Amino acid sequence: MINKPAGRTATAAPCRVTVCRGCCCGDAAKIPGVDHTGQIPRLRAALDGAAPVRASECLDVCDQANVVVVQPSAAGRAAGGRPVWLGLVNDDDALADIAAWIRAGGPGLAEPPGVLDLYAITVSRRVREGLEG
């Protein structure tokens, strides 16, 4: 599910990161014990300017809250990378793994930490095209 090209690395990673903040993602009533308000600033800090992070309205994958989408850089897309959807991203270790992968190049350019396979989700074409469009 996550693109894993062999032997490729990158020094710059201008990927784009979208964090769902809609009806369920970011909701302490649905997912208690998570600092939802601090999640985006912590991800931005971990990326240290390597990629922009934006919040989105509901991405319509509510059963996987909190959802993060990593879109490849132009170089990553040229190398075959496609957007990667990650669900149940509710702890700082997951954010750190996502940030490390993006800093290394992200989809199409860098091998993701193996643990991210556990977070990878498949979404419907309608949902996917809504973000990519």
Side-chain angles (χ1 to χ4, degrees):
M1 182 174 306
I2 295 178
N3 303 344
K4 297 181 181 182
R8 293 191 182 166
T9 59
T11 56
C15 299
R16 290 182 323 213
V17 182
T18 303
V19 179
C20 184
R21 283 296 177 260
C23 65
C24 295
C25 294
D27 183 353
K30 179 169 181 164
I31 307 164
V34 174
D35 176 13
H36 299 283
T37 303
Q39 194 175 39
I40 291 173
R42 286 192 308 278
L43 182 56
R44 285 181 176 140
L47 285 167
D48 193 29
V53 178
R54 66 181 177 161
S56 173
E57 290 297 320
C58 184
L59 293 175
D60 202 19
V61 195
C62 299
D63 61 326
Q64 297 293 319
N66 287 332
V67 174
V68 174
V69 183
V70 180
Q71 296 181 341
S73 64
R77 188 168 287 278
R82 296 294 173 257
V84 175
W85 289 67
L86 304 165
L88 305 174
V89 180
N90 297 314
D91 61 73
D92 286 346
D93 290 339
L95 293 178
D97 289 333
I98 293 166
W101 176 44
I102 292 169
R103 286 191 316 268
L109 296 176
E111 185 81 19
V115 71
L116 289 186
D117 287 340
L118 299 174
Y119 293 92
I121 60 174
T122 302
V123 296
S124 72
R125 182 177 11 171
R126 178 188 57 79
V127 169
R128 191 173 54 248
E129 289 174 352
L131 181 62
E132 294 175 13

